[in-house]
Amino acid sequence: MGKIKSLEDLMKIKESTLKDLKMRDTDKRGKIIVAMGTCGIAAGAKETLKAIVDILSEKGIEDIAVVQSGCFGLCDVEPTIEVRIGENEPVIYGHVTPNQAKRIIDQHILEGKVVSDLVVKRGEL
């Protein structure tokens, strides 16, 4: 691939990459999207991401994809994650530390119960 010369080139790459990611997720029950913008990383998103991957692995949960994204625009409640399970409404959680990630996996992913005290938003951004 050559240099990106325009916004249109960048958008084509984005569309292609998103299609590839969706193809990888087709056999998954759901996914956890971790916001990895600068603000999220500064607030601890790398540790949260690592904890999520480790906890899912420890519990043998293989039907949930873990995806990184850019900033959700919710800088004041970082680290943030979005949980999407099947056709259910997505839930965005804020202030997600590694300990809170464990709660979310135990309650939302395994039991289907939203962790209300960490919810920032329900539905699409």
Side-chain angles (χ1 to χ4, degrees):
M1 179 186 331
K3 288 186 177 181
I4 299 171
K5 297 180 181 177
S6 69
L7 182 59
E8 183 177 297
D9 290 346
L10 184 60
M11 294 307 289
K12 286 179 184 175
I13 293 168
K14 177 184 175 186
E15 287 175 15
S16 173
T17 302
L18 286 174
K19 284 180 187 174
D20 289 345
L21 286 173
K22 285 182 181 176
M23 288 174 62
R24 293 180 202 165
D25 292 342
T26 56
D27 62 338
K28 304 287 184 178
R29 175 172 63 99
K31 67 181 168 181
I32 299 172
I33 305 167
V34 182
M36 295 291 285
T38 307
C39 52
I41 292 169
K46 283 184 181 179
E47 293 80 9
T48 298
L49 174 64
K50 182 180 183 324
I52 290 168
V53 170
D54 291 348
I55 294 163
L56 291 174
S57 177
E58 287 167 14
K59 293 183 177 289
I61 301 169
E62 297 179 357
D63 60 349
I64 300 293
V66 179
V67 181
Q68 298 179 44
S69 80
C71 182
F72 286 171
L74 301 168
C75 304
D76 57 324
V77 292
E78 292 289 351
T80 53
I81 68 170
E82 179 178 318
V83 176
R84 292 177 171 260
I85 304 294
E87 297 299 317
N88 295 331
E89 180 178 58
V91 177
I92 298 174
Y93 292 106
H95 301 292
V96 183
T97 63
N99 286 337
Q100 301 297 10
K102 183 177 184 325
R103 282 182 61 211
I104 292 166
I105 291 169
D106 288 343
Q107 293 177 31
H108 192 147
I109 302 297
L110 293 175
E111 298 175 15
K113 299 175 187 171
V114 173
V115 184
S116 300
D117 61 306
L118 297 176
V119 172
V120 173
K121 182 172 183 354
R122 289 182 179 226
E124 302 291 333
L125 273 177

